Amino acid sequence: MNSHRSYNHALSFYLLYPVVAITLLCSSSALAQPQIEWELVNPFPFITNDEKILELLKTFRAIPGERTALALEQELQRIHEERVDQRRNLEYTDCINTVEAPKSKNICELKKKLPYLGWFADLSINSYKNNTCWDSSSLNFISTDKCLGYPQVPPTRAIRAWVQGVSNIDPSSGIWIRNRLQLPQDSYMKCPHEYAGVPCIEFEQTPEVDFTLVFDHPDLGRLETGPIRSSEKLVVGIGDSFASGEGNPDRPAQFMLNQSDRDFFWFWKWRRLPRRDLFDPDNHGKPANVEWLDRRCHRSMYSYQFKTALHMALINPKQAVTFVSYACSGATTDNIHLKNNEQSAQEQMLATDINRTKKITLQLKAVKEAIGDRQIDVLLLSTGGNDLEFSKYVADIVLSGKTRWLAHKLSQTKKPGVATFETKYQPMLKKNYSSLHQAIFEEYSLNISGCEKGSPCDRIVLMAYPNILMNEDGKVCKVDRDEFTMPFNRDQRRGSRTEKIYNDLFIPLIRFQQKAGDILREDGNKLGWSIAKDTENVFNRHGFCSSQGPNTNQNDRMIMPQRKEYEWNAFRPKGNVEFALGKYMPYDYKPYGSRARWVRLPLDSKLISDQREKLWRFTIDFLFKDDRSSVMHPTAMGHAAMADMNLRKLREILGPAFNK
């Protein structure tokens, strides 16, 4: 009880900091001309928790310099990690200083086991229903007061208006008038405590309808706005694992204290790896599940598509940005639209879930069923890699020895052949992209702003894959460090396999995507898609093998933990001598911590997703699936950088409409 109370006091102090900041801001603006400011209470209605939305807005506005999606992601995770550290220390201190019988230091050390789950973890509680408009158990949008008709435009949205440039006046002495009618007094009491001492009001207003506001106060006089209105935007996301957020669950795996599992096959028994928790010690003993918006598709709120839509809302909170995504890890272009090509699930739904369907509805069909005829402002797209079965090429890189031989026999790996990308894959991708474009407008009749059937459409934004196969020096990854060799054994040919796939497949694919907007359809018209790409080559030093070195960022130093002599340890070679990183507990791993690389490693796959295969009543990590399920997918920071690429392109194609 003392621990809980201490934590609440500390958290209250932390949350008061923005209040002080806002008060100081208002004081510093006291000499400015008072004026009415306004915004939507919730400009991103997918998230229904108003406190979380307010924290997102405050964090975004406090970012110094350019307010990018990457800067926001870094700040959110820093805040989360500070809260975890603070709570760990408080609970440890309360344990040591308890009035009961003195506890040994070792017992109190257990109080520090609270895991780093990431900023978005709280939103996933109760299948997301408590904090969003989505139910991951039924795989449907929910209908509540805050989600009425989502993703359709609701009858009203909540507006917050306040007087900027004043402080320490009595707000109750003034009156608020909308369209010549005084707003009720109880509306004055709805504003959050951050606006204490500032005239503020919250009220419901019909979207996309002009209104005027007046604040009449004996000390300030009459403040008025001209005609103002809130606007609506719909952002839709479809595509593959780069679109879904693979490797970045909203609530990552948690691991038991001092427990380990052996691998399934006899020649893997040397590996003693962490065993996942059955129950969440920080969530009232409920199952410690890895949480996804859609478990079958590994779709999460860390995806670049989600971050792009969220950032649009934070940039201009006078517009409500509705987000709908059916992107799915493992999806090919055919899985997006082609009948009788429904995708199989990446992972089975839980026994407690309502919807346990294994076949996944075609993405465009799901979009049409969700939004109907509502106009789409932007359609975000990532596809093409799975058309080439790129994951099998990845498996051929990382696996080695008997495992690689077995995987190849089971058609789980693929090697580059004699045929070139231009002769084997380019014609197929041109056909697939053209068929998708046609299906969007003809078979599914999606209503995309500014686009018509048979015409080019620049509101379809294809994300060209970033160059992920690099090290910190901007060179092709050799895959020869312990981050890769510990799970899969050493393999001197791994680097040459990587370079061949890089030159023969990956780079040609990226170059093809960067010009995909110029693809000619059968009717002679171009697709006209906009292409979001890494024009600044920001991924070049943040790729698969990037590291800041063993003596800098601890998140970069972490490698696969193994249990030896009753303790968890992680080792990294230094010359001909191995030196230990020290005692290492799996729950000290930070899934979303800042690191040099923006691409997932085997370590991340194990400690974040820990994906297993179900075999009768047994759960096994067949062919290292737990170690390679998310390898070579972007981290949360990588997705944020990709969101910035999309935001730059959207500013270019939307122009002034980007902020309207």
Side-chain angles (χ1 to χ4, degrees):
M1 182 67 71
N2 290 337
S3 171
H4 182 69
R5 184 165 53 250
S6 301
Y7 171 67
N8 284 339
H9 285 322
L11 185 58
S12 298
F13 175 79
Y14 175 85
L15 292 176
L16 278 173
Y17 173 76
V19 182
V20 176
I22 288 179
T23 303
L24 291 174
L25 178 62
C26 292
S27 299
S28 65
S29 306
L31 297 178
Q33 185 68 28
Q35 61 182 10
I36 297 174
E37 294 288 349
W38 68 277
E39 65 187 12
L40 288 162
V41 171
N42 185 355
F44 192 69
F46 180 89
I47 298 175
T48 58
N49 186 318
D50 289 342
E51 291 183 3
K52 287 290 188 181
I53 289 293
L54 191 60
E55 183 176 359
L56 283 167
L57 284 166
K58 290 188 295 187
T59 304
F60 174 76
R61 289 164 177 164
I63 294 173
E66 187 178 2
R67 296 169 180 170
T68 63
L70 177 59
L72 176 63
E73 182 63 30
Q74 291 170 331
E75 185 63 12
L76 289 176
Q77 299 309 333
R78 184 193 65 78
I79 290 171
H80 168 75
E81 290 171 11
E82 283 187 356
R83 288 175 178 171
V84 173
D85 290 338
Q86 184 182 58
R87 184 171 172 187
R88 282 182 169 192
N89 292 332
L90 285 170
E91 293 192 358
Y92 174 79
T93 302
D94 282 355
C95 178
I96 292 292
N97 298 328
T98 181
V99 295
E100 302 171 5
K103 306 286 182 69
S104 72
K105 184 176 180 180
N106 288 339
I107 293 177
C108 291
E109 283 287 340
L110 299 181
K111 294 292 184 180
K112 295 186 176 183
K113 67 180 294 186
L114 185 71
Y116 298 93
L117 298 178
W119 191 89
F120 286 93
D122 291 344
L123 298 179
S124 69
I125 292 174
N126 191 25
S127 301
Y128 296 81
K129 295 192 294 288
N130 291 4
N131 299 290
T132 75
C133 287
W134 181 254
D135 178 2
S136 64
S137 176
S138 65
L139 301 175
N140 278 314
F141 293 106
I142 62 176
S143 182
T144 62
D145 289 343
K146 290 186 175 182
C147 299
L148 190 61
Y150 193 98
Q152 301 300 326
V153 179
T156 64
R157 292 204 187 275
I159 301 286
R160 178 186 299 125
W162 68 97
V163 177
Q164 182 74 31
V166 299
S167 61
N168 299 321
I169 69 168
D170 181 9
S172 62
S173 300
I175 59 172
W176 287 93
I177 300 170
R178 177 185 56 180
N179 295 340
R180 300 182 181 180
L181 294 176
Q182 182 176 343
L183 290 164
Q185 289 285 336
D186 59 359
S187 301
Y188 300 11
M189 307 301 294
K190 294 181 179 179
C191 291
H193 65 273
E194 284 84 355
Y195 294 85
V198 175
C200 181
I201 190 169
E202 291 185 6
F203 57 91
E204 295 292 321
Q205 171 65 31
T206 305
E208 300 190 312
V209 173
D210 287 348
F211 66 98
T212 59
L213 278 178
V214 172
F215 181 67
D216 205 341
H217 191 277
D219 296 330
L220 299 176
R222 186 179 179 89
L223 304 177
E224 302 182 49
T225 69
I228 52 179
R229 65 161 62 190
S230 66
S231 59
E232 298 281 332
K233 278 190 172 62
L234 173 60
V235 177
V236 171
I238 56 176
D240 55 19
S241 54
F242 272 60
S244 70
E246 173 66 82
N248 300 278
D250 295 313
R251 194 174 188 89
Q254 302 173 57
F255 291 88
M256 296 178 69
L257 183 68
N258 297 334
Q259 296 293 315
S260 63
D261 282 328
R262 287 187 175 185
D263 276 305
F264 186 69
F265 288 107
W266 64 270
F267 50 81
W268 294 337
K269 286 185 178 179
W270 60 272
R271 303 197 322 147
R272 299 297 300 250
L273 302 180
R275 182 184 300 171
R276 197 199 301 180
D277 266 345
L278 297 177
F279 299 99
D280 185 346
D282 196 48
N283 191 23
H284 309 292
K286 293 183 179 179
N289 298 317
V290 176
E291 295 293 347
W292 302 90
L293 291 168
D294 188 336
R295 186 176 307 278
R296 306 167 306 165
C297 291
H298 285 189
R299 187 166 65 248
S300 83
M301 293 183 284
Y302 284 103
S303 76
Y304 86 83
Q305 295 183 343
F306 185 94
K307 292 179 183 297
T308 299
L310 173 62
H311 216 72
M312 289 174 67
L314 298 178
I315 288 171
N316 178 19
K318 292 180 172 63
Q319 64 180 3
V321 178
T322 300
F323 178 66
V324 173
S325 173
Y326 289 98
C328 197
S329 183
T332 64
T333 305
D334 286 350
N335 294 146
I336 296 176
H337 73 95
L338 191 61
K339 293 181 180 179
N340 301 318
N341 277 271
E342 287 81 5
Q343 182 185 352
S344 296
Q346 289 291 104
E347 189 175 349
Q348 295 179 22
M349 297 289 283
L350 300 175
T352 54
D353 287 329
I354 297 172
N355 187 338
R356 303 190 65 196
T357 306
K358 295 182 180 179
K359 284 291 184 181
I360 299 166
T361 304
L362 296 173
Q363 294 181 34
L364 288 186
K365 181 180 179 182
V367 168
K368 185 65 176 179
E369 290 174 350
I371 70 171
D373 294 327
R374 182 177 173 184
Q375 187 176 79
I376 299 170
D377 291 277
V378 177
L379 179 65
L380 302 177
L381 170 66
S382 171
T383 189
N386 291 321
D387 297 13
L388 281 56
E389 296 186 291
F390 190 72
S391 62
K392 292 185 178 181
Y393 291 102
V394 171
D396 189 61
I397 290 176
V398 298
L399 296 179
S400 63
K402 296 176 182 178
T403 310
R404 181 167 172 258
W405 172 85
L406 179 59
H408 186 68
K409 291 296 182 182
L410 296 174
S411 300
Q412 295 293 305
T413 65
K414 202 169 183 178
K415 303 175 183 179
V418 177
T420 64
F421 176 88
E422 286 74 14
T423 59
K424 183 176 181 180
Y425 290 124
Q426 187 166 294
M428 177 185 68
L429 286 174
K430 285 183 176 180
K431 179 182 176 182
N432 291 353
Y433 283 7
S434 296
S435 297
L436 174 59
H437 186 95
Q438 180 177 345
I440 288 172
F441 295 101
E442 296 184 12
E443 295 176 45
Y444 296 96
S445 302
L446 294 185
N447 178 12
I448 302 181
S449 177
C451 301
E452 297 180 358
K453 174 182 173 182
S455 300
C457 183
D458 64 356
R459 297 291 184 100
I460 299 174
V461 183
L462 175 68
M463 178 74 231
Y465 297 119
N467 191 351
I468 61 174
L469 293 175
M470 310 300 284
N471 65 16
E472 65 274 11
D473 296 323
K475 298 178 181 179
V476 180
C477 181
K478 294 182 179 179
V479 202
D480 59 352
R481 296 200 297 248
D482 271 5
E483 295 94 317
F484 321 104
T485 60
M486 282 190 68
F488 305 119
N489 293 324
R490 298 184 184 275
D491 188 336
Q492 294 181 350
R493 298 182 179 179
R494 190 175 276 133
S496 61
R497 295 200 299 271
T498 303
E499 189 166 357
K500 184 169 180 57
I501 290 174
Y502 177 84
N503 291 322
D504 294 357
L505 186 70
F506 193 55
I507 290 301
L509 171 60
I510 293 175
R511 289 172 178 167
F512 169 80
Q513 287 185 316
Q514 290 177 346
K515 298 180 180 179
D518 296 329
I519 292 175
L520 293 176
R521 301 172 58 230
E522 291 182 358
D523 59 9
N525 287 319
K526 293 182 179 180
L527 296 182
W529 296 353
S530 297
I531 311 298
K533 51 190 175 182
D534 189 2
T535 54
E536 299 177 3
N537 297 319
V538 295
F539 261 84
N540 270 15
R541 297 185 182 276
H542 297 281
F544 188 50
C545 295
S546 294
S547 173
Q548 294 178 354
N551 298 316
T552 52
N553 189 338
Q554 179 171 305
N555 295 326
D556 282 316
R557 298 167 62 199
M558 293 300 179
I559 53 181
M560 188 71 75
Q562 295 186 67
R563 190 147 175 80
K564 297 180 180 180
E565 298 180 357
Y566 305 101
E567 286 190 348
W568 290 104
N569 288 282
F571 295 88
R572 179 191 294 276
K574 186 177 183 180
N576 295 321
V577 181
E578 271 196 341
F579 71 97
L581 293 177
K583 189 175 180 181
Y584 170 70
M585 304 307 294
Y587 53 74
D588 282 332
Y589 169 76
K590 298 178 180 179
Y592 301 111
S594 179
R595 46 179 59 88
R597 57 177 172 80
W598 292 347
V599 185
R600 291 300 186 196
L601 297 181
L603 164 74
D604 304 312
S605 290
K606 177 65 182 177
L607 296 186
I608 295 179
S609 303
D610 194 31
Q611 185 178 342
R612 312 288 189 92
E613 291 287 352
K614 296 287 185 181
L615 182 64
W616 298 298
R617 294 185 178 181
F618 301 99
T619 302
I620 61 173
D621 49 343
F622 184 64
L623 292 174
F624 289 96
K625 190 161 189 176
D626 60 332
D627 297 333
R628 63 183 177 89
S629 61
S630 62
V631 167
M632 293 195 189
H633 286 87
T635 65
M637 302 300 174
H639 275 284
M642 290 162 63
D644 285 328
M645 298 172 202
N646 278 263
L647 289 163
R648 283 194 291 270
K649 178 56 64 174
L650 290 177
R651 286 188 179 93
E652 177 185 322
I653 63 177
L654 297 181
F658 182 81
N659 290 318
K660 292 183 180 179

